[in-house]
Amino acid sequence: MEAKITLLPGDGIGPEIVAETRKLLEVVAAKYNHNFNFNEQLFGGIAIDETGTPLPDDTLAACLHSDAVLMGAVGGPKWDDPRAKVRPEQGLLGLRKALGAFANLRPVKVFDALADASPLRPEKVRGVDIMFVRELTGGIYFGTPQGRLDGDNGREGFNTMRYNEMEIRRIVEIAFDLATKRKKKVTSVDKANVLVTSRVWREVAQEVADEHPDIEYEVILVDAMAMHLINRPADFDVVVTGNLFGDILSDEASMITGSLGMLPSAALGVPGSIGLYEPIHGSAPDIAGKGIANPLATMLSAAMMLRSSLNLDTEAAAIETAVSNVLNAGHRTADLARVGETAVGTKEMGAFVTMALENIQTV
Ligand code: IPM
Ligand code: MG
């Protein structure tokens, strides 16, 4: 098949991990006879430096004219001044909105070989397989009014958390659809004891749940969920929640797998829209340019892209198997290595996965 893939390396470790993933995708294309046309575009802080805006028109146009978008990471101390007028993160929020990518799928799956790399005890994490479904284009990230003013008590900043029925229903429906193909359980996370937004969320979510009597359904308050994720992560299947809670809980959940450097994600809209694929970790400015970042979350995001946007199930599974084989063989980047284990760099890890992929038997 022919596919146009826009690559947005972005900032920090973004360019390093996207470069390795591109090489991997080139090998996938050669092995399975596809033609992937890559188009690299400026995005995030580097785009601010070069064009004054984090999401230049050319970048957005390239994304809108592609079959899928694969991103590295955005942001860093250089653009972190709280009074800055433009911020790299605005580019990411703008892109998610422009693609209509309201559903953020963040799978938290423990590779057997990494059960010991988690800060939690191996018996707690073995077999964990959670699908986080984070609402991505609403909630407090986008609600208006938002802004800052100089009031009677000095500087004041404000954001608004709001969700309407349509936004809640469509994301909760996605969670139930996913659960049907998985372990048939949905957990909705909110803060309904305090927030009006959450009370509406809970009402609508219950209505969707009533339409799916075959799926086990529960609601958990976000503070309690933070605890249950650590205490009994294997009890969850599909977890659906709003934008802010999903942002926080998915970072927390990543540690179950051993490292934030392992978690991929897919941001999807209505069927047929262009998907945005990104590792859930950030730009890691502290290790940028050192060649030690873990490329696996980006590679696993590329697998999600092949599966969801290009319908290439075999190829997606091949990437996942290659990653798993490399971990089983004992290769670890610095974030995964335990005391006494040698760590390989970004390029070495990339090469191991590429080699493992080449070695997978095709039928
Ligand atoms: C994420 C990130 C982003 C978010 C930032 C970089 C805007 O933390 O994808 O989880 O908050 O959504
Ligand atoms: Mg985040």
Side-chain angles (χ1 to χ4, degrees):
M1 80 175 305
E2 287 272 332
K4 271 193 254 171
I5 301 171
T6 302
L7 298 176
L8 305 175
D11 308 315
I13 58 171
E16 299 165 59
I17 54 184
V18 169
E20 290 313 309
T21 305
R22 177 180 180 152
K23 285 187 228 161
L24 176 68
L25 285 169
E26 275 160 2
V27 172
V28 171
K31 186 177 170 96
Y32 296 91
N33 292 316
H34 302 303
N35 194 359
F36 296 154
N37 293 306
F38 297 105
N39 182 353
E40 283 198 22
Q41 292 286 333
L42 285 174
F43 187 54
I46 182 167
I48 294 179
D49 290 351
E50 295 196 17
T51 71
T53 153
L55 177 57
D57 291 345
D58 287 352
T59 300
L60 181 57
C63 292
L64 292 172
H65 289 100
S66 53
D67 296 297
V69 182
L70 183 67
M71 190 200 107
V74 292
K78 185 171 176 197
W79 307 281
D80 253 356
D81 177 355
R83 306 220 60 142
K85 288 263 166 352
V86 283
R87 312 178 56 83
E89 292 79 5
Q90 288 165 343
L92 181 52
L93 299 194
L95 181 59
R96 288 169 176 170
K97 199 74 169 177
L99 296 175
F102 66 88
N104 193 200
L105 275 38
R106 300 189 155 190
V108 177
K109 203 171 169 172
V110 172
F111 285 89
D112 272 344
L114 290 184
D116 290 336
S118 171
L120 301 183
R121 287 200 304 277
E123 70 268 23
K124 289 256 184 203
V125 308
R126 219 175 280 278
V128 166
D129 182 1
I130 307 173
M131 178 62 86
F132 270 88
V133 179
R134 170 190 176 194
E135 199 292 325
L136 202 59
T137 53
I140 199 166
Y141 272 52
F142 291 91
T144 51
Q146 58 167 270
R148 57 183 292 158
L149 50 81
D150 288 308
D152 293 343
N153 294 310
R155 285 160 290 178
E156 188 174 333
F158 51 97
N159 293 86
T160 307
M161 186 187 278
R162 52 196 311 162
Y163 271 117
N164 63 45
E165 199 170 334
M166 178 278 291
E167 293 169 309
I168 301 165
R169 177 169 290 276
R170 67 181 180 180
I171 192 76
V172 176
E173 274 171 355
I174 285 186
F176 275 88
D177 281 350
L178 288 165
T180 310
K181 294 166 227 141
R182 296 172 46 100
K183 285 177 276 170
K184 300 198 169 15
K185 179 174 174 186
V186 171
T187 305
S188 175
V189 177
D190 63 33
K191 187 69 186 173
N193 54 347
V194 176
L195 303 175
V196 182
T197 332
S198 283
R199 290 198 280 275
V200 175
W201 179 287
R202 196 174 274 208
E203 250 174 67
V204 177
Q206 183 62 55
E207 288 161 18
V208 178
D210 291 343
E211 291 158 18
H212 295 86
D214 51 321
I215 306 279
E216 188 190 338
Y217 175 67
E218 65 180 358
V219 290
I220 298 187
L221 294 170
V222 64
D223 49 351
M225 186 63 184
M227 176 180 68
H228 293 307
L229 267 180
I230 299 299
N231 191 38
R232 48 181 188 92
D235 286 358
F236 300 102
D237 179 21
V238 178
V239 176
V240 62
T241 189
N243 208 340
L244 181 63
F245 300 156
D247 179 45
I248 299 168
L249 291 177
S250 59
D251 268 33
E252 186 196 1
S254 75
M255 287 315 292
I256 301 168
T257 69
S259 169
L260 188 58
M262 291 302 299
L263 288 213
S265 82
L268 308 172
V270 294
S273 57
I274 301 156
L276 169 65
Y277 300 83
E278 39 171 316
I280 83 153
H281 62 69
S283 60
D286 50 323
I287 59 164
K290 294 190 180 157
I292 60 171
N294 181 352
L296 296 181
T298 316
M299 292 178 158
L300 293 169
S301 301
M304 291 186 89
M305 172 181 85
L306 296 182
R307 186 176 286 120
S308 299
S309 284
L310 307 180
N311 268 317
L312 299 176
D313 285 351
T314 308
E315 292 80 345
I319 291 184
E320 288 157 356
T321 304
V323 168
S324 174
N325 289 350
V326 165
L327 293 171
N328 287 338
H331 304 299
R332 304 280 184 272
T333 40
D335 54 312
L336 298 172
R338 291 186 307 160
V339 186
E341 285 178 345
T342 20
V344 301
T346 312
K347 287 206 166 95
E348 289 81 9
M349 188 52 120
F352 278 127
V353 178
T354 304
M355 221 186 324
L357 187 120
E358 274 169 339
N359 288 336
I360 287 174
Q361 302 280 323
T362 47
V363 276

